[in-house]
Amino acid sequence: MLHTPATFTPSIAPLSGAPTLTLVFHRGELLLRNESLSLPDAAALTALAVPPERLHPLGMWEGTYYQMAWLDAPRLPGPDFAYHGLRALFGTLDDGVLGLAGRAAQLAEWARTHRYCGVCASPTQLVSGERCYKCPQCGHSAYPRISPAMMVLIRKGDQVLLALHTNSPYQRYTALAGFLEAGESVEDAIHREVFEEVGLKVHNLRYFGSQSWPFPHALMLAYTADYLDGEIRVQAAEIADARWFGPDDDWPEPPVPVSVAARLIAAHRPKR
Protein backbone atom coordinates (compact mmCIF):
# COMPACT_ATOMS: atom_id res chain seq x y z
CA MET A 1 0.00 0.00 0.00
CA LEU A 2 1.22 3.53 -0.74
CA HIS A 3 2.70 4.90 2.50
CA THR A 4 5.81 6.51 3.93
CA PRO A 5 8.39 3.79 4.78
CA ALA A 6 8.29 2.73 8.43
CA THR A 7 12.05 3.33 8.77
CA PHE A 8 11.80 6.93 7.52
CA THR A 9 12.60 9.65 10.09
CA PRO A 10 11.05 13.01 9.21
CA SER A 11 12.87 16.28 9.73
CA ILE A 12 11.75 19.89 9.49
CA ALA A 13 15.33 21.21 9.64
CA PRO A 14 17.93 20.57 6.89
CA LEU A 15 20.43 17.81 7.71
CA SER A 16 24.08 17.62 6.73
CA GLY A 17 26.77 14.97 6.61
CA ALA A 18 24.80 12.35 4.70
CA PRO A 19 24.25 11.55 1.01
CA THR A 20 21.42 13.71 -0.33
CA LEU A 21 18.68 13.07 -2.87
CA THR A 22 16.08 15.58 -3.99
CA LEU A 23 12.50 14.98 -5.10
CA VAL A 24 11.82 17.75 -7.62
CA PHE A 25 8.22 18.49 -8.61
CA HIS A 26 6.43 20.49 -11.21
CA ARG A 27 2.64 20.64 -10.72
CA GLY A 28 2.51 17.25 -8.99
CA GLU A 29 4.86 15.45 -11.39
CA LEU A 30 8.18 14.02 -10.20
CA LEU A 31 11.50 14.51 -12.00
CA LEU A 32 13.26 11.19 -12.70
CA ARG A 33 16.02 9.87 -14.91
CA ASN A 34 14.13 8.01 -17.63
CA GLU A 35 16.11 4.80 -17.95
CA SER A 36 16.63 4.02 -14.26
CA LEU A 37 13.72 6.01 -12.75
CA SER A 38 16.24 7.40 -10.26
CA LEU A 39 16.12 10.76 -8.52
CA PRO A 40 18.40 13.58 -9.73
CA ASP A 41 21.84 13.64 -8.17
CA ALA A 42 23.73 16.71 -6.93
CA ALA A 43 25.01 17.59 -10.41
CA ALA A 44 21.51 17.46 -11.89
CA LEU A 45 20.16 19.59 -9.05
CA THR A 46 22.88 22.18 -9.67
CA ALA A 47 21.93 22.27 -13.35
CA LEU A 48 18.33 23.06 -12.38
CA ALA A 49 19.44 26.10 -10.33
CA VAL A 50 16.68 25.63 -7.76
CA PRO A 51 16.36 28.73 -5.52
CA PRO A 52 17.34 27.86 -1.92
CA GLU A 53 13.94 28.92 -0.57
CA ARG A 54 12.30 26.25 -2.69
CA LEU A 55 14.23 23.42 -1.04
CA HIS A 56 12.42 21.81 1.88
CA PRO A 57 13.72 19.03 4.15
CA LEU A 58 11.91 15.69 4.32
CA GLY A 59 14.12 13.47 6.48
CA MET A 60 16.37 10.41 6.63
CA TRP A 61 15.75 7.02 5.07
CA GLU A 62 18.27 4.18 4.88
CA GLY A 63 21.25 6.48 5.45
CA THR A 64 20.22 9.07 2.87
CA TYR A 65 18.86 12.55 3.50
CA TYR A 66 15.88 13.44 1.32
CA GLN A 67 14.66 16.90 0.48
CA MET A 68 11.92 18.31 -1.75
CA ALA A 69 11.96 21.07 -4.33
CA TRP A 70 9.38 22.55 -6.67
CA LEU A 71 9.63 24.48 -9.93
CA ASP A 72 7.32 26.87 -11.79
CA ALA A 73 8.35 25.46 -15.18
CA PRO A 74 9.22 21.84 -16.10
CA ARG A 75 12.92 22.51 -16.53
CA LEU A 76 15.16 19.50 -17.18
CA PRO A 77 18.82 19.02 -16.14
CA GLY A 78 19.46 16.96 -19.27
CA PRO A 79 17.82 15.05 -22.13
CA ASP A 80 17.66 11.80 -20.14
CA PHE A 81 15.24 13.27 -17.57
CA ALA A 82 11.46 13.74 -17.62
CA TYR A 83 8.57 14.51 -15.25
CA HIS A 84 6.28 11.62 -14.31
CA GLY A 85 2.81 11.61 -12.72
CA LEU A 86 2.76 9.56 -9.52
CA ARG A 87 -0.16 7.41 -10.68
CA ALA A 88 1.88 6.30 -13.69
CA LEU A 89 4.63 5.11 -11.33
CA PHE A 90 2.45 2.66 -9.37
CA GLY A 91 4.06 -0.76 -9.62
CA THR A 92 7.08 0.68 -11.43
CA LEU A 93 8.96 2.88 -8.97
CA ASP A 94 10.42 1.41 -5.78
CA ASP A 95 7.67 1.30 -3.13
CA GLY A 96 9.72 3.19 -0.56
CA VAL A 97 10.66 5.97 -2.95
CA LEU A 98 7.06 6.15 -4.12
CA GLY A 99 5.92 6.53 -0.52
CA LEU A 100 8.37 9.38 0.02
CA ALA A 101 7.24 10.94 -3.25
CA GLY A 102 3.63 10.89 -2.08
CA ARG A 103 4.63 12.72 1.08
CA ALA A 104 6.84 15.19 -0.77
CA ALA A 105 4.26 15.92 -3.46
CA GLN A 106 1.82 17.20 -0.85
CA LEU A 107 4.46 19.45 0.69
CA ALA A 108 5.46 20.73 -2.74
CA GLU A 109 1.89 21.71 -3.53
CA TRP A 110 1.55 23.41 -0.14
CA ALA A 111 4.76 25.39 -0.69
CA ARG A 112 3.80 26.34 -4.25
CA THR A 113 0.33 27.57 -3.34
CA HIS A 114 1.19 29.52 -0.18
CA ARG A 115 3.83 31.95 -1.37
CA TYR A 116 1.30 34.72 -0.78
CA CYS A 117 -1.14 35.28 2.04
CA GLY A 118 -4.68 34.17 1.31
CA VAL A 119 -6.02 37.02 3.45
CA CYS A 120 -4.07 40.11 2.39
CA ALA A 121 -1.95 38.82 -0.55
CA SER A 122 1.37 39.81 1.08
CA PRO A 123 4.40 37.54 0.51
CA THR A 124 4.59 34.91 3.25
CA GLN A 125 7.60 33.70 5.20
CA LEU A 126 8.49 30.16 6.23
CA VAL A 127 8.43 29.82 10.02
CA SER A 128 11.62 28.36 11.46
CA GLY A 129 11.09 24.91 12.99
CA GLU A 130 7.58 24.47 11.59
CA ARG A 131 5.81 23.42 8.41
CA CYS A 132 4.13 26.79 8.31
CA TYR A 133 4.05 29.86 6.09
CA LYS A 134 3.14 33.02 8.00
CA CYS A 135 2.16 36.43 6.74
CA PRO A 136 4.33 39.17 8.30
CA GLN A 137 1.59 41.75 7.66
CA CYS A 138 -1.60 40.21 9.07
CA GLY A 139 -0.26 37.15 10.90
CA HIS A 140 -2.25 34.57 8.94
CA SER A 141 -0.65 31.09 9.15
CA ALA A 142 -0.87 28.35 6.50
CA TYR A 143 0.01 24.75 7.34
CA PRO A 144 0.06 21.83 4.87
CA ARG A 145 -3.50 21.01 3.92
CA ILE A 146 -4.93 17.56 4.66
CA SER A 147 -8.40 16.77 3.31
CA PRO A 148 -10.16 13.88 5.12
CA ALA A 149 -12.28 11.61 2.95
CA MET A 150 -14.41 8.65 3.90
CA MET A 151 -14.48 5.29 2.10
CA VAL A 152 -17.05 2.62 2.84
CA LEU A 153 -17.68 -0.92 1.65
CA ILE A 154 -21.35 -1.82 2.16
CA ARG A 155 -22.18 -5.45 2.97
CA LYS A 156 -25.54 -7.14 2.37
CA GLY A 157 -25.51 -10.79 3.36
CA ASP A 158 -22.85 -12.42 1.16
CA GLN A 159 -22.73 -9.45 -1.22
CA VAL A 160 -20.84 -6.16 -1.24
CA LEU A 161 -21.64 -2.98 -3.13
CA LEU A 162 -19.10 -1.68 -5.64
CA ALA A 163 -19.47 1.48 -7.70
CA LEU A 164 -17.93 3.00 -10.80
CA HIS A 165 -17.19 6.62 -9.98
CA THR A 166 -17.91 8.99 -12.85
CA ASN A 167 -14.69 11.00 -12.50
CA SER A 168 -12.34 8.21 -11.42
CA PRO A 169 -9.01 8.22 -13.30
CA TYR A 170 -8.95 4.40 -13.22
CA GLN A 171 -12.54 3.59 -14.28
CA ARG A 172 -12.69 0.57 -11.98
CA TYR A 173 -15.41 -0.58 -9.60
CA THR A 174 -14.52 0.19 -6.01
CA ALA A 175 -15.94 1.20 -2.63
CA LEU A 176 -17.90 4.41 -2.22
CA ALA A 177 -15.85 7.45 -1.21
CA GLY A 178 -16.26 11.17 -0.65
CA PHE A 179 -14.80 14.15 1.16
CA LEU A 180 -16.00 15.27 4.57
CA GLU A 181 -17.86 18.55 4.79
CA ALA A 182 -17.38 21.21 7.47
CA GLY A 183 -18.95 20.17 10.76
CA GLU A 184 -19.21 16.47 9.90
CA SER A 185 -17.81 13.43 11.64
CA VAL A 186 -16.56 10.59 9.44
CA GLU A 187 -19.68 8.64 10.35
CA ASP A 188 -21.93 11.56 9.39
CA ALA A 189 -20.19 11.78 6.03
CA ILE A 190 -20.63 8.04 5.39
CA HIS A 191 -24.38 8.19 5.98
CA ARG A 192 -24.73 11.32 3.83
CA GLU A 193 -22.53 10.16 0.95
CA VAL A 194 -24.09 6.68 0.78
CA PHE A 195 -27.59 8.10 0.61
CA GLU A 196 -26.62 10.82 -1.88
CA GLU A 197 -24.65 8.57 -4.21
CA VAL A 198 -26.66 5.32 -4.19
CA GLY A 199 -29.86 6.03 -2.22
CA LEU A 200 -29.18 3.48 0.53
CA LYS A 201 -29.21 3.59 4.32
CA VAL A 202 -26.56 1.74 6.33
CA HIS A 203 -25.69 0.89 9.93
CA ASN A 204 -23.06 -1.00 11.98
CA LEU A 205 -20.16 1.14 10.78
CA ARG A 206 -16.73 -0.33 11.53
CA TYR A 207 -13.35 1.35 11.03
CA PHE A 208 -10.95 -0.58 8.73
CA GLY A 209 -7.86 1.58 8.14
CA SER A 210 -6.46 4.81 6.73
CA GLN A 211 -4.10 5.97 4.02
CA SER A 212 -2.52 9.22 2.93
CA TRP A 213 -3.48 9.71 -0.73
CA PRO A 214 -1.53 12.53 -2.42
CA PHE A 215 -4.05 13.50 -5.10
CA PRO A 216 -3.56 16.19 -4.09
CA HIS A 217 -3.72 15.93 -0.26
CA ALA A 218 -6.39 13.45 0.87
CA LEU A 219 -6.47 11.27 3.98
CA MET A 220 -8.63 8.23 3.20
CA LEU A 221 -10.52 6.78 6.20
CA ALA A 222 -11.90 3.36 5.26
CA TYR A 223 -14.91 1.69 6.89
CA THR A 224 -17.32 -1.17 6.40
CA ALA A 225 -21.08 -0.81 6.93
CA ASP A 226 -24.07 -3.12 6.75
CA TYR A 227 -27.02 -2.50 4.43
CA LEU A 228 -30.14 -1.29 6.26
CA ASP A 229 -32.70 -0.08 3.75
CA GLY A 230 -33.35 1.21 0.22
CA GLU A 231 -32.86 0.37 -3.44
CA ILE A 232 -29.85 1.43 -5.50
CA ARG A 233 -30.45 4.84 -7.09
CA VAL A 234 -27.25 6.34 -8.45
CA GLN A 235 -26.38 10.02 -8.43
CA ALA A 236 -25.39 10.33 -12.10
CA ALA A 237 -23.02 13.25 -11.56
CA GLU A 238 -20.92 11.11 -9.17
CA ILE A 239 -21.67 7.45 -9.91
CA ALA A 240 -21.80 5.86 -13.36
CA ASP A 241 -22.92 2.47 -12.03
CA ALA A 242 -23.33 0.63 -8.72
CA ARG A 243 -24.27 -2.97 -8.09
CA TRP A 244 -24.07 -5.82 -5.61
CA PHE A 245 -21.35 -8.44 -6.14
CA GLY A 246 -21.63 -11.87 -4.52
CA PRO A 247 -19.51 -15.01 -4.45
CA ASP A 248 -20.95 -16.38 -7.72
CA ASP A 249 -20.73 -13.16 -9.74
CA ASP A 250 -18.09 -12.19 -12.27
CA TRP A 251 -16.06 -9.60 -10.41
CA PRO A 252 -14.60 -6.51 -12.07
CA GLU A 253 -10.91 -5.65 -12.14
CA PRO A 254 -9.90 -4.62 -8.60
CA PRO A 255 -8.68 -1.13 -7.64
CA VAL A 256 -4.97 -0.35 -7.94
CA PRO A 257 -3.12 -2.50 -5.37
CA VAL A 258 -1.37 0.46 -3.71
CA SER A 259 -4.72 1.84 -2.48
CA VAL A 260 -6.50 1.12 0.80
CA ALA A 261 -9.57 0.38 -1.37
CA ALA A 262 -7.85 -2.74 -2.71
CA ARG A 263 -7.13 -3.97 0.82
CA LEU A 264 -10.65 -3.15 2.00
CA ILE A 265 -12.30 -5.08 -0.82
CA ALA A 266 -9.90 -8.03 -0.64
CA ALA A 267 -10.49 -8.38 3.09
CA HIS A 268 -14.27 -8.54 2.67
CA ARG A 269 -14.75 -10.23 -0.69
CA PRO A 270 -17.30 -13.03 -0.27
CA LYS A 271 -15.81 -16.46 -0.64
CA ARG A 272 -17.25 -19.09 -2.96
Side-chain angles (χ1 to χ4, degrees):
M1 194 170 70
L2 179 65
H3 61 85
T4 303
T7 54
F8 172 77
T9 303
S11 177
I12 295 177
L15 302 177
S16 59
T20 300
L21 287 174
T22 307
L23 295 101
V24 180
F25 290 89
H26 169 68
R27 297 297 178 94
E29 295 192 332
L30 177 64
L31 180 66
L32 295 171
R33 194 180 295 273
N34 288 325
E35 186 174 344
S36 61
L37 292 182
S38 56
L39 296 172
D41 55 16
L45 187 66
T46 299
L48 287 171
V50 179
E53 66 273 13
R54 294 193 181 183
L55 286 168
H56 293 256
L58 289 177
M60 293 290 298
W61 182 51
E62 297 185 346
T64 297
Y65 167 62
Y66 288 83
Q67 60 184 359
M68 172 276 293
W70 62 274
L71 301 174
D72 282 318
R75 300 199 307 273
L76 298 174
D80 55 338
F81 283 88
Y83 288 89
H84 301 258
L86 295 188
R87 295 182 194 272
L89 296 171
F90 290 166
T92 302
L93 191 64
D94 174 82
D95 287 346
V97 176
L98 188 60
L100 291 181
R103 185 186 190 102
Q106 297 178 70
L107 295 176
E109 184 64 6
W110 159 71
R112 184 183 73 84
T113 58
H114 288 87
R115 289 172 285 174
Y116 298 94
C117 177
V119 177
C120 69
S122 299
T124 57
Q125 296 176 353
L126 189 62
V127 178
S128 177
E130 288 190 73
R131 299 274 190 207
C132 176
Y133 279 103
K134 189 168 185 177
C135 176
Q137 298 300 316
C138 71
H140 176 68
S141 296
Y143 294 87
R145 179 178 176 182
I146 299 174
S147 302
M150 72 83 197
M151 175 179 290
V152 61
L153 186 68
I154 304 171
R155 303 177 296 191
K156 182 182 181 183
D158 63 352
Q159 299 176 306
V160 297
L161 186 131
L162 300 179
L164 184 63
H165 292 258
T166 303
N167 298 317
S168 169
Y170 301 112
Q171 290 301 292
R172 297 180 184 181
Y173 283 82
T174 185
L176 296 176
F179 287 102
L180 274 66
E181 295 184 355
E184 282 187 329
S185 67
V186 183
E187 294 77 10
D188 290 338
I190 290 173
H191 288 293
R192 175 184 55 78
E193 287 279 359
V194 168
F195 188 74
E196 287 178 355
E197 293 190 346
V198 294
L200 302 180
K201 294 184 179 180
V202 295
H203 65 157
N204 296 335
L205 276 58
R206 295 289 184 272
Y207 176 71
F208 176 78
S210 66
Q211 179 184 33
S212 175
W213 194 242
F215 303 106
H217 36 60
L219 173 63
M220 305 302 300
L221 304 163
Y223 282 71
T224 61
D226 292 333
Y227 167 83
L228 180 62
D229 186 41
E231 297 294 330
I232 295 176
R233 171 189 47 77
V234 300
Q235 183 184 29
E238 299 289 338
I239 304 295
D241 185 35
R243 64 182 76 168
W244 298 105
F245 289 89
D248 298 322
D249 293 319
D250 291 330
W251 277 60
E253 185 179 2
V256 290
V258 298
S259 67
V260 70
R263 288 184 57 207
L264 177 65
I265 293 170
H268 298 91
R269 178 168 175 167
K271 297 193 170 45
R272 292 182 181 271

